[in-house]
Amino acid sequence: MLWEPYMLGLASLLPILGAFATPFIWVATRRRGVVRAWALVIITATFLVTLLNLYHILYRSRLGVETYYFGGWILSLNFQGGIVYTVDGLSALLGLVAAGLVLAAAVYSVDYIHGSGEEWYYTLLMGLLAGLIGIFYTGDAFNLFVMLEVASVSAYALVAYYRRSGPAIEAALKYAIVGSIATTIYFISLVLLYTSISQVSVRVGDETVYLSTLNIAGMQLAYRLAAAGGVSGINVLTPAAAIFISMATWVFMTKAALFPNHFWLPDAHPAAPSPVSALLSGVVVKAGIYAIIRFIYTVYMPSSYQPIVSITDTLMNTVVVVGAVSSLVAGFMLLVQEDVKRLIAYSTIMHMGYIAMGIGIGTRMGLEASIYHILTHATGKALLFLSAGAAIMITGTRSINELQGIAERSRVVAAGIIISALSLAGTFPFGGFASKLVLYLAFIQRGAYILAVILITTSAMAFAAYAKLLYGLVFKRPIRSEVKARPGRAMNTVIVVLSIIVVLLGVLAPYVLDDLVGPVASSVLNYDNYYRSVLLR
Amino acid sequence: MDLFTMILYVSLLMTIPMAVLMLIYFACSTRYRAKGGEAPYTSGLDYPREDLSVPDVFFWSIARVHGRRIYVFLREKIHNGVLDNWLTWMMSWLVFLAVLVMVFTLM
């Protein structure tokens, strides 16, 4: 249909226009209710657009990949041109997850965020959403850098939302310094990559075409042609690819908070308001994981050129080792936390480790398991942060030892914490159990028994850490008699909806695997379609 | 000069001053290296022994003997909240990764 390609562009345009319009709406009306309603309308519309996009890509699209050329600037044969969005199943799914969680955070914030600065909060929230959708949808490595910056700058500012709190400012500054170093290194690596790729040329009839591009499909084609021997300038491509891969992987590991680039996360996530923590843990760290998947599976894996194959193998082994170390270190650190939000933050590092291990083993089942775990972790972690935020609101403390008797104060909040913690620890019948089971089977199928042992051991550590929280929550009496504040209807609704999703992701595991995760993994692995969708417009 | 040689030269030109700067940085920073302020605390280690089941006693006994040393290392050397120390870890990892990929590519 005619309108469907435009939906791809609209997904990130809507929130960015919404973000720019918000300060004007605030100045014109001076009513926070109007700003809130505006933000909710824009974010809901974006969510519906991403939902349509996923449906179209998975069930209607001929190739399973769709390309949208901003401003109608169609790429020439050497992949030069304007901004291009190339959306496959993984991009569409992660776009939907981002929009869904931002919508949940925005609804939750109606009761949670009040007072001066609220208008900027919603502006940044929409900026973050635009950046995230841009990261997931873009088909260009340079545009990926731009969108990483858009999302990151919004995230730094959101962490510093409590601007009169010393720890929040310190955490935001640390996050910003580490994040800026990472994106700068990515930019430098892109310069090197562009210089090398623009030396690669192909003979098309009588014409020599230079692949002067950072388009992901163009990069895939350059490396594939290298194997066929149909290009010149290849001697530059290999060392440049090696340097680019090492630098870019380091950057994506920083964004994904994988050891030893994870230090910023345990400071940044607890310091932010709870809905922001939910987004940072639920979806922002997934941007790094997405970029790793995109470069490994779409750019490098399709090439059979021997140096590129060795680089890819090294990279995948590194991702596995780093994932394993991340989950072990985070597992140990989980046990010593006294602050509930810090505990949840370390749990994020552990789960990022699992996802990295699944990607790194390089099998279809490993990829499916990682995609499934991205889903269950995103929803489970968002639910845990939002429920913990409500519990902190009730008790006025973040200390696990004082966070007791919540079940007596609010059953919805207690249920939210219990369901999410059990799911993240990998307990039947929740989503976390199902995705960890598929991960476990993928490791066994690959013969990576040590990874299976690490998965089980660290899950046990997480369970021990959550057990203390859950025991106090359910079986102990509240320490303080007074209730600081009660969660409102909007907060409770979000917790209930996310709890249902976490349960359904586990109970409906066979359907989720067959009808969602499987097709998404197929669209990533059918890498031919990625460049076909760019060229065969 | 062909592009490959040029990239090598430029990389070398960037690497040498960076290495010198890093050496100066490490020489100065070791004197002022910040220490973490958090006291190591292991949740669960304070549970009374009689409240624990047999597997729990086994687990926490191991944690008491070996765990504390790991925690002290993780907390004081890695997760001490000091940006300066984080950057050292992260940059070392970047250099290691670059060397690793280059070595495997050349092989």
Side-chain angles (χ1 to χ4, degrees):
Chain A
M1 284 173 82
L2 267 176
W3 54 269
E4 277 154 348
Y6 296 103
M7 288 289 139
L8 302 180
L10 200 63
S12 67
L13 268 182
L14 261 176
I16 204 75
L17 291 176
F20 276 115
T22 306
F24 293 104
I25 291 172
W26 165 244
V27 169
T29 62
R30 291 280 161 191
R31 291 175 69 179
R32 294 210 165 86
V34 175
V35 170
R36 223 176 285 147
W38 165 253
L40 284 174
V41 166
I42 292 290
I43 295 168
T44 309
T46 311
F47 172 72
L48 292 175
V49 168
T50 55
L51 191 64
L52 273 175
N53 286 341
L54 179 67
Y55 174 74
H56 175 64
I57 299 289
L58 287 189
Y59 306 113
R60 301 279 300 279
S61 166
R62 190 167 54 88
L63 291 172
V65 187
E66 290 290 328
T67 297
Y68 176 70
Y69 305 90
F70 270 91
W73 286 48
I74 291 177
L75 297 188
S76 54
L77 202 59
N78 60 354
F79 290 92
Q80 279 185 329
I83 296 171
V84 173
Y85 274 7
T86 307
V87 182
D88 67 353
L90 182 66
S91 313
L93 178 67
L94 289 178
L96 176 69
V97 170
L101 290 189
V102 172
L103 178 61
V107 174
Y108 183 94
S109 302
V110 169
D111 288 332
Y112 194 85
I113 300 285
H114 289 292
S116 145
E118 201 181 327
E119 58 282 5
W120 299 114
Y121 173 80
Y122 287 107
T123 305
L124 292 166
L125 213 55
M126 284 186 270
L128 179 66
L129 178 58
L132 287 170
I133 291 178
I135 291 168
F136 299 137
Y137 277 20
T138 188
D140 185 286
F142 181 77
N143 197 236
L144 179 68
F145 160 76
V146 176
M147 287 302 171
L148 269 175
E149 282 294 3
V150 172
S152 302
V153 169
S154 307
Y156 307 149
L158 282 168
V159 169
Y161 178 73
Y162 294 131
R163 57 191 185 281
R164 288 187 180 81
S165 152
I169 299 295
E170 186 190 341
L173 277 174
K174 284 177 178 174
Y175 182 21
I177 290 170
V178 171
S180 311
I181 291 174
T183 38
T184 307
I185 288 179
Y186 180 58
F187 181 78
I188 294 169
S189 70
L190 282 181
V191 173
L192 188 66
L193 188 71
Y194 184 75
T195 318
S196 70
I197 286 205
S198 58
Q199 298 303 308
V200 177
S201 61
V202 192
R203 294 286 298 171
V204 181
D206 294 337
E207 205 183 335
T208 303
V209 176
Y210 283 90
L211 295 170
S212 309
T213 186
L214 281 176
N215 183 283
I216 291 171
M219 286 157 66
Q220 187 202 103
L221 203 61
Y223 292 120
R224 291 179 77 175
L225 286 172
V231 291
S232 59
I234 200 70
N235 58 331
V236 186
L237 205 59
T238 312
I243 297 169
F244 168 76
I245 278 201
S246 56
M247 289 166 94
T249 307
W250 184 89
V251 172
F252 300 143
M253 282 176 179
T254 307
K255 294 292 174 191
L258 288 168
F259 181 89
N261 292 4
H262 65 289
F263 300 108
W264 58 271
L265 190 143
D267 276 16
H269 288 201
S274 291
V276 176
S277 310
L279 291 177
L280 293 175
S281 268
V283 70
V284 174
V285 286
K286 306 294 188 303
I289 289 288
Y290 167 77
I292 293 174
I293 297 177
R294 181 57 69 217
F295 276 96
I296 290 182
Y297 284 89
T298 308
V299 178
Y300 291 104
M301 216 184 232
S303 174
S304 53
Y305 185 53
Q306 194 46 47
I308 298 294
V309 172
S310 333
I311 295 171
T312 313
D313 287 347
T314 313
L315 172 66
M316 290 175 88
N317 290 331
T318 310
V319 169
V320 168
V321 172
V322 163
V325 177
S326 297
S327 50
L328 279 171
V329 167
F332 273 110
M333 293 305 293
L334 265 178
L335 290 169
V336 297
Q337 298 312 313
E338 215 266 325
D339 178 328
V340 66
K341 286 182 85 175
R342 233 178 141 75
L343 183 148
I344 307 171
Y346 274 109
S347 155
T348 298
I349 299 168
M350 192 166 83
H351 287 274
M352 288 299 106
Y354 296 156
I355 294 167
M357 288 193 284
I359 296 165
I361 58 171
T363 61
R364 183 192 165 93
M365 199 175 183
L367 181 66
E368 280 186 1
S370 290
I371 293 168
Y372 195 4
H373 202 67
I374 286 174
L375 266 182
T376 59
H377 176 254
T379 45
K381 192 50 65 73
L383 175 61
L384 187 52
F385 259 122
L386 295 178
S387 311
I392 293 164
M393 195 185 203
I394 293 168
T395 56
T397 177
R398 279 171 26 188
S399 164
I400 292 172
N401 294 323
E402 294 175 39
L403 213 62
Q404 294 179 356
I406 297 296
E408 281 187 26
R409 304 281 192 225
S410 167
R411 288 196 179 152
V412 171
V413 173
I417 295 179
I418 292 166
I419 290 172
S420 52
L422 290 179
S423 174
L424 291 166
T427 315
F428 182 80
F430 304 107
F433 168 78
S435 59
K436 279 187 182 179
L437 181 66
V438 184
L439 264 175
Y440 175 81
L441 293 174
F443 296 150
I444 297 294
Q445 186 201 48
R446 180 74 171 77
Y449 301 109
I450 186 83
L451 298 184
V453 171
I454 290 173
L455 176 71
I456 292 172
T457 313
T458 49
S459 294
M461 286 169 154
F463 194 84
Y466 287 131
K468 190 182 180 193
L469 173 69
L470 296 183
Y471 183 78
L473 206 77
V474 179
F475 297 109
K476 289 192 176 173
R477 307 267 313 156
I479 289 180
R480 294 170 187 155
S481 55
E482 87 273 22
V483 174
K484 295 274 180 191
R486 284 200 184 277
R489 203 175 293 168
M491 290 170 74
N492 283 337
T493 307
V494 170
I495 291 171
V496 168
V497 170
L498 281 175
S499 301
I500 292 169
I501 293 173
V502 169
V503 173
L504 288 181
L505 280 174
V507 174
L508 303 178
Y511 301 102
V512 176
L513 272 168
D514 289 346
D515 299 330
L516 184 65
V517 174
V520 167
S522 297
S523 86
V524 175
L525 293 170
N526 292 335
Y527 39 75
D528 280 339
N529 291 342
Y530 198 87
Y531 84 82
R532 277 188 191 145
S533 109
V534 177
L535 286 181
L536 308 178
R537 58 256 172 188
Chain B
M1 188 187 294
D2 68 304
L3 194 84
F4 180 56
T5 325
M6 200 170 80
I7 286 177
L8 278 181
Y9 276 126
V10 172
S11 305
L12 211 64
L13 280 172
M14 283 164 68
T15 311
I16 293 169
M18 276 301 286
V20 173
L21 282 174
M22 287 287 277
L23 283 175
I24 295 169
Y25 168 76
F26 283 131
C28 298
S29 68
T30 43
R31 221 183 310 161
Y32 305 108
R33 183 65 51 86
K35 292 270 186 287
E38 289 179 282
Y41 167 80
T42 310
S43 77
L45 291 190
D46 50 348
Y47 290 154
R49 203 179 171 84
E50 56 272 19
D51 288 356
L52 301 174
S53 63
V54 173
D56 281 347
V57 170
F58 176 72
F59 175 75
W60 290 118
S61 300
I62 293 174
R64 271 200 184 89
V65 177
H66 301 287
R68 200 175 293 273
R69 222 176 308 160
I70 299 171
Y71 288 129
V72 169
F73 175 74
L74 286 175
R75 297 279 287 235
E76 291 303 307
K77 300 284 180 198
I78 298 181
H79 294 97
N80 51 15
V82 182
L83 187 61
D84 181 37
N85 296 355
W86 296 355
L87 291 178
T88 309
W89 279 94
M90 291 171 73
M91 288 301 155
S92 313
W93 169 234
L94 176 60
V95 172
F96 175 75
L97 200 60
V99 170
L100 186 78
V101 172
M102 286 305 284
V103 165
F104 274 89
T105 311
L106 292 174
M107 277 165 69

